[in-house]
């Protein structure tokens, strides 16, 4: 331990090292509740690539595990410390190095906040679409590590689709550059994509070339109320089958709607069983919304309310964005699931989730990126009640089993981390896990990078 | 050899095996000229996954290399036989297993022809965008192996962005399923993406889940003539910087235009130094084209001619699609390059290529997916002239060096194969190549899958 600190100090300014146990303890975990976390030996906050290389060389020399962190807004424990590790926080490497409107790229350091980048590129008439709910605080490096999604994905895809190239410090401190600054490129295996979603287990991302898009018109939304989740899911299928390309297609169940109203007095309709939000950022969004409104009515919507203007649309989005936070206020504890199914199975997923809630006698509120079939069932429980906690865990698992049975995945966008590592093997199977381990061994033969995550 | 045939026959119908040397010789190489190719020991044409597994188990047991093939329309020798190998042609596994308009996916076998799939999904109001020039004959499996591009990429991206999940037979015959049928998913490292563009070196793709998009309106095009390639490239930059999203943005230099006219009497303007084709499939393409026309004029276009209708637009596209073929008629032999640079460097790339042509005393025609910065310089030469052949090879290499110097890649969409394997190391560097080899070893420890390609 003394040796570790001494060696780290040799290549880092004093302000880059945190060793006070009260301070380092605050870096022990991300936003996932109930995931195991160890105590870091030290927290390092580098400002340069060379400093990151020094940390990794030191860690390799001393065989000390390293856990990379962004803003720790993750929901699966992927950034949780392991016992005695070096926490490597990239938040101070937060420069936007380039925004190029002709090449439509940005070159950034990993600690840049998603919203800061978004606003910076907006000034050039560009947009960086990936928008996880935590976009005001989460970092691009964290988004890359967890392959974040967001509300925009139904039209604009996920983080992975915007990462063109990376600078990565490997476990042994060597610097690897992957990918490209070009629109296309197929030179060798796609290492860039391999790092996206790897949860810091293959290397430390210290720089990224990101693709940008022209800024679309501001979106216009509508809200449709339904008497059942099944009817809302039917509407989702009709909208997608008809060939629409909404910029947002979100679902909040009755529990979620009431939780949002209780928290923020949003004035959403209290009696609805499912609220569907749909938006378009096309050249004529009102026309697109009118067509979607008819499809909602045909699917059984009890009311269809187009937003008056973009401000009212933004208010609806805000309501959706605060869904998880609002559901967390219902009980002393929550477990947030992230099952994604083919959208044709969304109705079955929601019905099955309701049945699981009833079976275990729990409240499970669901909000969903409905257009992607990506549901976030939030299991609410009293963590001081041992039996209720057990039922919560079992229902959480049963929701994943339900999703896999419907041809889905255990995680659409939150990642595996600590929370779902037992489940990864169930989804991928023996052959898949063996190959994943083979890749891990090729990149990190000593197993020092974020150990105990994913597998 | 007798042992190989005997063992293969034990698990395959007689019609699946080709052993006549005159026939098997015709499977020795793809469309890349001048790439080394060995003589296959046998060609196998399986119809089922089990048959592919039998082939791979046999090859592993006997340590015989296997070279997977689609329609052999590739341009880098990636499908070329190695001496004594089993050629595994997937062309008979050509079923479309599912088209799902709600989930917007297709499930296909690898031998499905790109155009057959495209037309089939069109009937459901959907489209499968990737459209390499060979789309009427190339297979989806080949597209996945080489990570094919096409004309649509400037708006719709490349093959990789449409591959959601794969069934893959590994070197030892085990079946791996990667990815998903869902719109999103982040469970573990992205093995799906790793296979795309791996040129058959990691496993045999025997099935794919492909993402589809709603069919856009038919595109409308314009042609703009320029007095220099530099002016045309300036127009490209202005168009992209202004935030336009054309569905096609292609460039043909004067040599290419004249070659296309000579071959097909297309009536393109003979005196132009650079012809830019731009198309939109938006709700009001005429308005978008008018705006682009003004930008072209501002960049120095000598003439801007909007197509009268979609039929005339399609004619312009046909002219562009036949560019490579037309350039091949200029001389007895050609070498087709595929350098992609940041689009802001496109002008420098074309000027540099012209200087290389002059330096070596050769004709080098260039067509380009200009919106992507992806150029196809075609080096024309007399292959019976040793000195000219040497100069062709040197100029071909110098074009790649030029592209790398401009921050580009040696291959935007044609792949590495045999043609560019010495160059891959130059682009990726020592660390990158070492990790690529590590991945190869994890998937194919005996090195039996398409040996001698990529590295």
């Amino acid at each position: 331990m003394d040796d570790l600190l001494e060696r780290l100090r040799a290549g880092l300014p004093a302000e880059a090292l945190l060793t006070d146990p009260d301070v380092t303890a605050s870096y022990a975990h991300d936003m996932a509740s109930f995931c195991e976390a160890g105590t870091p030996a030290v927290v390092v906050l580098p400002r340069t690539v060379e400093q990151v290389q020094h940390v990794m060389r030191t860690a390799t020399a001393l065989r000390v595990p390293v856990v990379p962190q962004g803003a720790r807004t993750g929901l699966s424990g992927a950034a949780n410390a392991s016992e005695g590790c070096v926490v490597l926080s990239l938040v101070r490497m937060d420069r936007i190095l380039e925004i190029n409107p002709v090449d439509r790229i940005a070159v950034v350091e990993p600690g840049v906040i998603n919203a800061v980048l978004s606003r910076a590129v907006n000034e050039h008439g560009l947009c960086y679409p990936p928008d996880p709910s935590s976009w005001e605080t989460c970092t691009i490096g964290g988004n890359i590590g967890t392959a974040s999604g967001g509300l925009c994905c139904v039209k604009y895809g996920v983080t992975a689709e915007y990462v063109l190239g990376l600078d990565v410090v490997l476990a042994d401190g060597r610097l690897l550059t992957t990918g490209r600054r070009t629109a296309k490129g197929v030179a060798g295996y796609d290492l860039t994509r391999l790092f996206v979603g790897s949860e810091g287990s293959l290397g430390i991302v210290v720089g990224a070339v990101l693709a940008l898009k022209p800024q679309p018109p501001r979106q216009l939304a509508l809200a449709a109320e339904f008497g059942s989740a099944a009817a809302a899911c039917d509407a989702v299928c009709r909208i997608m089958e008809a060939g629409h390309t909404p910029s947002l297609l979100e679902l909040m169940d009755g529990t979620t709607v009431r939780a949002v109203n209780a928290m923020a007095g949003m004035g959403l309709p209290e009696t609805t069983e499912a609220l569907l939000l749909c938006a378009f950022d096309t050249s004529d969004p009102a026309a697109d919304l009118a067509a979607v409104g008819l499809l909602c009515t045909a699917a059984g919507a009890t009311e269809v309310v187009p937003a008056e203007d973009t401000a009212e649309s933004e208010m609806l989005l805000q309501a959706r964005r605060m869904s998880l936070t609002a559901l967390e206020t219902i009980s002393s504890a929550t477990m947030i699931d992230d099952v994604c199914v083919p959208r044709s199975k969304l109705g079955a997923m929601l019905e099955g989730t309701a049945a699981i809630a009833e079976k275990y006698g729990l409240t499970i509120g669901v909000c969903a990126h409905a257009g992607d079939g990506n549901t976030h069932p939030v299991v609410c429980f009293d963590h001081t009640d041992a039996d209720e906690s057990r039922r919560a865990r079992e229902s959480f698992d049963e929701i994943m089993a339900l999703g896999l049975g419907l041809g889905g995945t255990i995680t659409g966008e939150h990642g595996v981390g600590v929370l779902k590592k037992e489940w990864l093997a169930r989804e991928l199977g023996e052959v898949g896990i063996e190959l994943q381990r083979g890749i891990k061994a090729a990149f990190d033969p000593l197993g020092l990078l974020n150990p105990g995550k994913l597998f």
Side-chain angles (χ1 to χ4, degrees), chain A:
Chain A
M1 171 68 186
D2 287 350
D3 191 24
L4 172 64
L5 290 179
E6 196 176 313
R7 289 217 200 185
L8 286 173
R9 280 196 187 104
L12 293 165
E15 50 101 30
L17 281 164
L18 305 180
T19 54
D20 178 340
D22 290 342
V23 176
T24 58
S26 69
Y27 287 81
H29 55 83
D30 63 18
M31 299 285 283
S33 313
F34 313 108
C35 286
E36 61 191 68
T39 305
V42 56
V43 175
V44 184
L45 292 144
R47 288 190 191 276
T48 69
V49 172
E50 291 70 27
Q51 289 173 2
V52 175
Q53 291 184 283
H54 172 71
V55 172
M56 291 314 306
R57 281 190 209 106
T58 305
T60 288
L62 301 179
R63 306 290 192 266
V64 177
V66 175
V67 176
Q69 287 183 349
R72 286 178 288 119
T73 52
L75 294 166
S76 66
N80 283 12
S82 17
E83 192 58 34
C85 75
V86 174
V87 160
L88 185 54
S89 171
L90 285 308
V91 295
R92 288 185 186 167
M93 292 179 67
D94 63 353
R95 290 180 301 165
I96 297 172
L97 301 173
E98 182 184 349
I99 295 172
N100 186 321
V102 172
D103 295 334
R104 292 188 184 164
I105 58 170
V107 183
V108 303
E109 292 184 332
V112 174
I113 305 290
N114 181 302
V116 171
L117 175 65
S118 290
R119 292 186 186 115
V121 305
N122 286 170
E123 303 210 349
H124 296 266
L126 296 164
C127 79
Y128 175 71
D131 61 342
S133 292
S134 56
W135 75 302
E136 292 279 5
T137 51
C138 64
T139 66
I140 296 296
N143 295 169
I144 292 170
T146 56
S148 304
L151 301 188
C152 75
C153 305
V154 65
K155 179 167 181 177
Y156 292 103
V158 295
T159 296
E161 290 167 50
Y162 293 88
V163 184
L164 298 178
L166 293 172
D167 288 329
V168 181
V169 174
L170 299 174
D172 59 13
R174 288 184 298 171
L175 184 64
L176 169 72
T177 297
T178 73
R180 53 200 161 83
R181 288 174 59 98
T182 54
K184 291 155 77 181
V186 294
Y189 304 138
D190 191 343
L191 298 189
T192 306
R193 191 66 168 243
L194 202 54
F195 282 104
V196 179
S198 66
E199 300 186 349
S201 67
L202 300 178
I204 311 292
V205 171
V206 293
V209 182
L210 303 174
L212 305 173
K213 291 217 179 265
Q215 199 170 5
R218 293 199 67 174
Q219 58 188 356
L220 203 61
L222 68 69
E225 296 172 42
F226 292 86
S228 72
C233 294
D234 180 30
V236 169
C237 291
R238 288 171 191 244
I239 292 165
M240 299 307 279
E241 191 171 21
H244 290 289
T245 305
S247 50
L248 172 139
L249 186 51
E250 298 285 323
L251 185 150
M252 299 161 73
D253 74 355
T255 304
T256 307
V257 166
R258 290 182 284 274
V260 168
N261 276 344
M263 188 174 81
M266 299 294 279
L268 298 174
E270 286 275 342
T271 56
T272 186
E273 284 308 311
L275 191 68
L276 200 63
L277 306 179
C278 183
F280 286 88
D281 59 5
T282 50
S283 55
D284 189 357
D288 291 314
L289 288 176
V292 160
L294 292 176
L295 292 172
C296 287
T297 303
T302 52
E303 189 138 23
V304 175
V305 185
E308 294 277 316
D309 50 32
T310 57
E312 203 173 298
S313 296
E314 188 52 37
M315 193 277 291
L316 285 172
L317 265 61
Q318 285 301 333
R320 169 59 188 88
R321 277 187 195 279
M322 66 177 61
S323 294
L324 291 184
T325 310
L327 285 166
E328 284 171 348
T329 64
I330 289 184
S331 54
S332 76
T334 53
M335 296 182 72
I336 301 168
D337 225 323
D338 174 40
V339 173
C340 189
V341 294
R343 71 174 70 85
S344 58
K345 307 291 189 202
L346 190 62
M349 185 68 208
L350 291 193
E351 279 181 17
T353 301
I356 291 168
E358 192 171 327
K359 172 179 167 187
Y360 287 97
L362 293 167
T363 296
I364 302 180
V366 182
C367 53
H369 307 303
D372 295 320
N374 190 181
T375 69
H376 292 312
V378 179
V379 182
C380 304
F381 64 103
D382 175 358
H383 73 288
T384 64
D385 179 332
D387 184 67
E388 193 161 311
S389 298
R390 177 192 55 76
R391 283 183 280 133
R393 180 75 219 191
E394 286 178 18
S395 67
F396 185 79
D397 284 355
E398 204 161 316
I399 288 167
M400 284 190 278
L402 171 66
L404 288 181
L406 291 169
T409 170
I410 57 166
T411 175
E413 59 181 10
H414 292 173
V416 176
V418 178
L419 188 66
K420 297 186 170 181
K421 62 182 182 173
E422 286 87 11
W423 280 84
L424 187 67
R426 277 182 72 161
E427 176 164 341
L428 299 184
E430 203 179 307
V431 182
I433 286 286
E434 183 187 316
L435 290 170
Q436 301 247 340
R437 286 188 189 278
I439 290 168
K440 167 75 174 171
F443 282 75
D444 178 23
L446 300 173
L448 298 178
L449 285 166
N450 212 6
K453 314 296 160 57
L454 277 172
F455 309 119

